[in-house]
Amino acid sequence: NNKPPILNTSYNIELDIDDFFEWEKNITLDKKNKSSIYLFDNKIFFSAKVISCENDGVWVLSFGNDIVLIEASGTCEINKFVSFFTTPDNVRLYPIEL
C-alpha cells in the first residue's frame, strides 16, 4: 500500500525478487555457508542455501527459516550456498497476514 514501515515493528512479508540470475555474472557459490542480506553500492546482496532446482530454471533457496524462489541459469548444486545480487528496484516486499 506504499506506506513506509514503522520502525521497531515486526512484519510478515512476502519477498519477490524480479530478476534473472546468470552464473558468474550475478550469482556464484558462497563459501560462508550462512544466509544473509545486505545493501552495498546500491545493490542488494543475498546468500542462501540451494534446496532444489527445477527444469524451468527456478531455484528453490533456503533463506534462514524461509523459502525464496529465483530464476537462474548455470550450475545448480543442491545443499550449497550461493551469493547473488540485484538492484533495489527488482525487490518487492508485500505484507501478508498469517
Side-chain angles (χ1 to χ4, degrees):
N1 60 10
N2 292 328
K3 290 182 184 178
I6 299 169
L7 290 176
N8 300 316
T9 303
S10 295
Y11 294 92
N12 294 310
I13 61 155
E14 178 179 325
L15 173 69
D16 179 36
I17 304 171
D18 187 22
D19 203 349
F20 183 79
F21 298 93
E22 296 179 56
W23 197 250
E24 297 296 333
K25 180 178 177 187
N26 57 357
I27 186 169
T28 59
L29 282 177
D30 188 349
K31 294 182 172 124
K32 290 182 261 179
N33 295 332
K34 180 179 169 187
S35 295
S36 66
I37 181 173
Y38 65 92
L39 180 67
F40 178 76
D41 199 23
N42 201 38
K43 293 183 180 95
I44 300 177
F45 291 81
F46 298 88
S47 179
K49 185 177 183 179
V50 179
I51 55 176
S52 74
C53 304
E54 307 301 321
N55 290 335
D56 59 358
V58 173
W59 293 17
V60 181
L61 309 176
S62 172
F63 187 75
N65 293 326
D66 299 305
I67 300 296
V68 175
L69 304 176
I70 63 169
E71 291 183 89
S73 68
T75 304
C76 181
E77 296 186 39
I78 306 298
N79 293 322
K80 297 287 185 172
F81 277 77
V82 291
S83 177
F84 55 101
F85 67 90
T86 189
T87 56
D89 59 322
N90 290 330
V91 177
R92 304 276 186 275
L93 303 174
Y94 300 99
I96 58 171
E97 296 295 326
L98 295 179

